[in-house]
Amino acid sequence: MNNPIDWLLGLFSLDIGIDLGTANTLVHVKNRGIVINEPSVVAIDISSRRRNKVKAIGSEAKEMVGRTPSHIVAIRPLQDGVISDFDVTEQMIHHFIGKVHGNRIGAARPRVVIGIPSGVTEVEKRAVRDAAISAGAREAGLVEEPMAAAIGAGLPVTESVGSMIVDIGGGTTEVAVISLGGIVVSRSIRVAGDEMNEDIINYARQKYNLLIGERMAERAKIDIGSAYPLERERTMILRGRNLITGLPEAVEVSSVEIREALSGSVQVIVDAVKATLDETPPELVADLMEYGIVLAGGGALLQGLAQRLQDETRMHVYVADNPLTAVVMGTGMILEKPEFYRETLTSMQRKSTIR
Ligand code: ADP
Ligand code: MG
């Protein structure tokens, strides 16, 4: 910073951090904060044989669902924590980088750090980096989402002290113990927010013969769902279609019922945390006993989940201050101090090294 030219260049450089989540994609730009927060959804024309089958991306794509002809379908290319469709993922990355970078003449080529689910393969990582470079990035680094979440949640990831992060997203829950800038033990399971919505849909069908939509289920989860008895149990109305009469119907359900519906998935998450603790080296377990476990991702907001985990693990469990934005804030922090966080990146590529 003592060189005024460097300082001036710093002002014009565009640093972009991206959280490529299974449910939501967030983009952080240095000095501007979070500029994009949209669903990781792409609307595709399945009747088209051409490459350009993508009709809309993000919020616009989600809006189209159910309102368009049946040959347009919405897909979530990262839903299972792996990249199910390279092409579409690439276009999604292009779209989001393009949206903030634009095609401004003379605009600095951005440095980009992308948080990716820890399950993605080397081939998939390469595809993500290439997509960022071809979208105009000068440098593209990748960081595993639990690492980014831990950084964003303010955990001392580069120190020789163990930290545990549990990131409960839409498609996957990732549990990781981090120390000295690396992931020491981790586990990724496909039980998270989406599965909880399914649980509620199944419950309504089995108990009330009521067919409800995914949005209704998600609302029930967010409003009255829980993982631990509530101080004041509540009720809400589920609206759907009676499977026997075929007619619309409204049923009142209680938070106790929704907790019962969610209990299987919650138990799977609890077990994943316990199993990861079992595999953690004893010195690091001692650190965790002192500093606790931090929850991130939208699923961390499920009422009583921290309490439930605390009971089951006998450790302190905290919810990150902003669980839904921890990963993208982490990518932004890496870009602020790239040398300090170098170790935390799983891979890095400069434009010049391509092919
Ligand atoms: P991802 O990182 O996989 O894109 P997010 O961290 O954005 O996922 O979390 C999305 C999930 O969090 C969704 O399943 C959503 O229903 C869930 N979620 C959001 N808010 C809450 C809440 N208050 N209670 C429970 N679940 C929530
Ligand atoms: Mg996430």
Side-chain angles (χ1 to χ4, degrees):
M1 263 325 141
N2 31 26
N3 180 338
I5 307 267
D6 280 353
W7 178 79
L8 205 60
L9 283 175
L11 278 186
F12 290 113
S13 85
L14 192 58
D15 288 344
I16 302 178
I18 302 177
D19 167 10
L20 214 51
T22 67
N24 298 298
T25 297
L26 285 77
V27 179
H28 178 276
V29 175
K30 187 173 160 186
N31 298 330
R32 281 166 59 192
I34 296 169
V35 295
I36 293 175
N37 185 350
E38 294 189 29
S40 307
V41 175
V42 181
I44 291 188
D45 183 348
I46 47 173
S47 68
S48 166
R49 302 215 173 273
R50 289 173 302 129
R51 189 174 182 275
N52 190 15
K53 57 192 176 179
V54 171
K55 291 292 159 216
I57 293 173
S59 310
E60 201 191 329
K62 198 171 184 179
E63 282 299 303
M64 287 171 86
V65 181
R67 298 194 174 88
T68 46
S70 60
H71 60 89
I72 295 189
V73 297
I75 65 162
R76 284 171 51 191
L78 294 140
Q79 186 156 25
D80 297 322
V82 294
I83 297 175
S84 58
D85 188 327
F86 273 0
D87 245 25
V88 166
T89 306
E90 197 181 321
Q91 292 189 55
M92 204 168 85
I93 293 169
H94 261 262
H95 171 82
F96 288 123
I97 292 180
K99 217 167 161 178
V100 291
H101 182 222
N103 291 317
R104 279 169 291 148
I105 303 204
R109 299 180 78 78
R111 284 190 307 176
V112 178
V113 166
I114 304 182
I116 46 158
S118 53
V120 313
T121 64
E122 285 304 318
V123 176
E124 291 171 327
K125 283 182 191 168
R126 193 184 168 84
V128 170
R129 273 180 325 204
D130 288 358
I133 299 279
S134 76
R138 147 172 65 106
E139 270 176 14
L142 303 183
V143 58
E144 290 182 290
E145 277 165 355
M147 175 65 81
I151 294 171
L155 295 175
V157 298
T158 59
E159 287 171 31
S160 69
V161 56
S163 300
M164 181 183 264
I165 185 92
V166 182
D167 181 355
I168 306 153
T172 58
T173 294
E174 309 213 23
V175 186
V177 176
I178 293 167
S179 174
L180 286 169
I183 292 179
V184 183
V185 222
S186 73
R187 195 167 279 252
S188 175
I189 54 169
R190 288 181 190 181
V191 174
D194 295 339
E195 187 79 14
M196 294 183 198
N197 298 346
E198 282 298 315
D199 292 340
I200 295 174
I201 292 172
N202 291 336
Y203 184 88
R205 185 170 43 219
Q206 277 156 22
K207 183 150 179 199
Y208 297 109
N209 283 315
L210 184 72
L211 181 67
I212 61 168
E214 165 131 36
R215 265 185 244 175
M216 186 82 239
E218 184 175 40
R219 206 181 317 150
K221 172 183 72 178
I222 292 176
D223 288 356
I224 65 169
S226 63
Y228 200 83
L230 301 176
E231 255 173 53
R232 281 182 44 222
E233 300 292 353
R234 297 168 42 205
T235 62
M236 76 171 271
I237 306 287
L238 290 183
R239 285 174 213 287
R241 183 157 51 85
N242 185 298
L243 284 164
I244 295 164
T245 64
L247 298 172
E249 191 172 79
V251 172
E252 183 171 49
V253 290
S254 73
S255 48
V256 178
E257 291 177 278
I258 299 298
R259 184 161 60 247
E260 184 189 323
L262 298 177
S263 63
S265 294
V266 168
Q267 190 61 50
V268 172
I269 294 170
V270 168
D271 290 344
V273 173
K274 284 181 163 176
T276 311
L277 282 172
D278 268 350
E279 290 169 28
T280 304
E283 283 78 9
L284 297 183
V285 172
D287 292 341
L288 301 183
M289 289 177 74
E290 196 164 334
Y291 302 109
I293 297 172
V294 173
L295 309 185
L301 293 166
L302 181 70
Q303 293 181 74
L305 185 59
Q307 179 70 50
R308 172 74 187 279
L309 279 164
Q310 188 153 305
D311 267 26
E312 298 239 12
T313 60
R314 314 235 170 108
M315 303 229 185
H316 293 293
V317 180
Y318 309 91
V319 178
D321 281 344
N322 295 295
L324 284 157
T325 56
V327 169
V328 81
M329 292 311 286
T331 62
M333 286 162 73
I334 292 171
L335 284 159
E336 284 281 330
K337 285 164 112 185
E339 284 313 316
F340 183 74
Y341 285 118
R342 175 151 296 259
E343 230 96 23
T344 67
L345 295 177
T346 78
S347 70
M348 174 79 194
Q349 183 159 26
R350 287 205 157 78
K351 176 146 181 65
S352 54
T353 61
I354 267 201
R355 275 178 269 274

